[in-house]
Amino acid sequence: MTDLSLLGPAQRETALTRMADEQFDLAIIGGGSTGMGAALDAASRGLSVALIEQRDIASGTSSRSSKLIHGGLRYLERLDFRLVREALTERDLLLTKLAPHLVYPVPFIFPFRHRLWERAYVAAGVAVYDALAASTTNPLPRQRQLSRRSMLEAFPALDATAFVGGLRYYDAGTDDARFVVALARTATREGAAIATSTRAVGLPRRGDRVTGIAGVDLESGREVTIRADVVINATGVWTDDVEQLVDDPVPDVTASKRVHLVVRRDRIDSSMGLITKTKKSVLFIIPFGEFWLIGTTDTAWTLDLAHPAASTGDIDYLLGQVNRLLADPLTREDVVGVYAGLRPLVTGSQGATSQLSREHAITHPAPGMVTIAGGKVLVWINVDGDVGIDVLRCWMGQDSTETNEQQRVDLITQVTVFPTVTSVEPAPHLFGAPSKIDGATNGAAGKCGIDSTNDGAGAQTLILADSFNNLLGWLWVATPEERIIIRAGGASGFGMKLATVPTTKTGWSFGVTYREI
């Protein structure tokens, strides 16, 4: 039996053939964590999805991160509680349900140089961090205060004369590139057509509306035109380049260079990672297999986006910062590797990249097109929840960039009516098949069928179908607690749950476990 999740030349060729022949619900540019996350999120809900990547899966920012899935302890100092809570919610979902085979706990020490105020200040911050995580399904231990002796037992490499104690807390780590490949394999298994080495060179339009992607297969030189109802731009630091294809000159992202040093594990004696503040940002010493990762920098990059490079100054800066902590300083000879990546930050008025927001932004550079800009690396479930609602807006021709909570709730109770639909018995859905369909509700043409029995529980279902009894569009079920949008399958199948929107808060449901690779 063929494994539908396999990636390779045969799968790529099949994907390119499908892209040339089929009409897709969604076409995505960008094969990093955000683009692949969007592809999986949509494909697992029954949408037809095409994705192209100009290089390889996770070849940009998504393979050059700190290898952490964390809430961002330093963002609490900026009082960005929503960003931290979203990231912690995603971290805990990945640890417990979605990808426990890819994401693992990582203990960290935060060393103290001052006995009283620093211990109280950091402990209060981590307590808030733990409290935000506890509001989810946090599986990790809470913080623990450490004396100097206990800290040195856990991290013997520290300079004993520089610190008075510390605090231990937990976050999570992963192999970032493997994580994104797992997203790609699972999305492929769910039916997404994914092609690497395929560059977007144009965005065809009908009037003002984007109708797909004009691409080039970089291996053969052949052109491929992908027809899609909605196009997502998830290209990270290339966001502005893609938007120029629809003549949008407004810059959305600023590239921030992040450099990490790679040092052999036996060079630093410790059983835990370490985090500490610097004058510019924070410094991590992160365990990763047989190595330590030491980072990171946060400086603007204006040169070739495809080839960010570490400078002598970057290496010296990181060595200088880490040697403030260690009893046995590192030298250049201890550095066995260096990597640099570019983080796309939402452009703002601040001068330094370290002050720019880590939030994501959703924009509409043209009708039928959605751009995802910024966001934390490897944090995409909440991002794609926002994208999903905006994709639905594009689907219905509502490309407003301003959408508040009530507008979103109102939006998803709307349904596009096709001119050829007739009243038919619906496929089974979340509350079971309605016992009666009233096809006269929308006039003699019978444009849709409505469950007039309300399922006996206050629920109402709207069904779209063609004359061959195939469900075409959306079903929605309303209860006093929530509204649910479902992507319909066929007349003999069942609807795919697309989104759950509680009456009091907009949300996005996710329930697919990534395939292990």
Side-chain angles (χ1 to χ4, degrees), residues 1 17 62 123 133 147 190 236 246 268-269 284 313 324 348 362 365-366 379 405 410 424 442 465 498:
M1 182 177 179
T17 300
S62 296
S147 64
E190 296 295 322
V246 290
I268 299 175
D269 185 10
F284 280 105
R324 294 174 57 244
I362 309 296
V379 173
E405 290 290 297
D410 292 342
V424 296
N442 282 313
L498 181 66

Side-chain angles (χ1 to χ4, degrees), residues 279-296:
K279 290 183 178 180
K280 296 181 180 180
S281 183
V282 297
L283 180 77
F284 280 105
I285 302 177
I286 304 164
F288 186 69
E290 298 178 358
F291 302 95
W292 293 103
L293 307 180
I294 300 172
T296 180

Side-chain angles (χ1 to χ4, degrees), residues 87-393:
L88 288 173
T89 299
E90 186 157 335
R91 180 199 71 180
D92 298 343
L93 276 173
L94 293 169
L95 276 167
T96 58
K97 295 181 179 180
L98 299 180
H101 59 293
L102 298 175
V103 181
Y104 49 85
V106 179
F108 283 96
I109 284 179
F110 195 119
F112 300 141
R113 296 180 182 273
H114 306 278
R115 291 187 181 278
L116 297 178
W117 73 264
E118 187 178 20
R119 185 180 290 274
Y121 180 75
V122 174
V126 177
V128 173
Y129 195 70
D130 285 342
L132 290 172
S135 64
T136 64
T137 56
N138 180 26
L140 300 178
R142 289 180 173 271
Q143 65 165 289
R144 178 187 172 191
Q145 295 281 343
L146 301 176
S147 64
R148 178 160 59 182
R149 175 181 296 179
S150 297
M151 182 184 67
L152 291 174
E153 288 176 354
F155 206 120
L158 283 176
D159 181 357
T161 65
F163 302 102
V164 297
L167 179 147
R168 185 210 68 190
Y169 79 101
Y170 276 79
D171 251 315
T174 191
D175 181 331
D176 50 7
R178 182 179 180 225
F179 181 92
V180 180
V181 171
L183 290 177
R185 290 193 63 180
T186 311
T188 301
R189 185 191 65 193
E190 296 295 322
I194 296 174
T196 56
S197 298
T198 305
R199 178 177 296 156
V201 295
L203 294 170
R205 287 192 272 186
R206 184 181 300 113
D208 291 333
R209 186 176 182 83
V210 174
T211 58
I213 304 169
V216 174
D217 176 358
L218 299 180
E219 294 187 5
S220 67
R222 63 177 166 174
E223 298 179 354
V224 57
T225 298
I226 306 170
R227 293 166 293 135
D229 296 328
V230 179
V231 171
I232 290 181
N233 173 17
T235 53
V237 292
W238 285 272
T239 293
D240 295 332
D241 292 347
V242 172
E243 289 194 347
Q244 288 178 9
L245 297 177
V246 290
D247 304 318
D248 184 347
V250 180
D252 287 330
V253 300
T254 297
S256 169
K257 185 179 72 171
R258 299 164 62 85
V259 174
H260 291 80
L261 307 182
V262 184
V263 175
R264 293 193 183 281
R265 192 68 177 266
D266 59 8
R267 186 58 184 83
I268 299 175
D269 185 10
S270 176
S271 60
M272 300 184 181
L274 182 143
I275 178 176
T276 190
K277 291 185 62 176
T278 68
K279 290 183 178 180
K280 296 181 180 180
S281 183
V282 297
L283 180 77
F284 280 105
I285 302 177
I286 304 164
F288 186 69
E290 298 178 358
F291 302 95
W292 293 103
L293 307 180
I294 300 172
T296 180
T297 62
D298 194 343
T299 55
W301 178 261
T302 58
L303 302 178
D304 186 358
L305 296 178
H307 299 98
S311 66
T312 298
D314 293 327
I315 296 171
D316 289 341
Y317 167 77
L318 289 174
L319 285 175
Q321 292 298 321
V322 75
N323 284 339
R324 294 174 57 244
L325 311 173
L326 303 179
D328 183 12
L330 300 177
T331 67
R332 282 178 169 265
E333 286 68 33
D334 295 313
V335 179
V336 298
V338 179
Y339 65 91
L342 299 179
R343 184 170 186 174
L345 302 178
V346 176
T347 299
S349 59
Q350 293 86 350
T353 56
S354 60
Q355 298 302 312
L356 292 178
S357 173
R358 268 57 179 171
E359 294 268 12
H360 67 273
I362 309 296
T363 62
H364 297 261
M369 181 176 177
V370 177
T371 288
I372 314 168
K376 286 169 60 61
V377 180
L378 299 182
V379 173
W380 54 267
I381 294 177
N382 286 297
V383 173
D384 292 325
D386 288 344
V387 173
I389 296 296
D390 281 26
V391 166
L392 192 56
R393 295 192 67 92

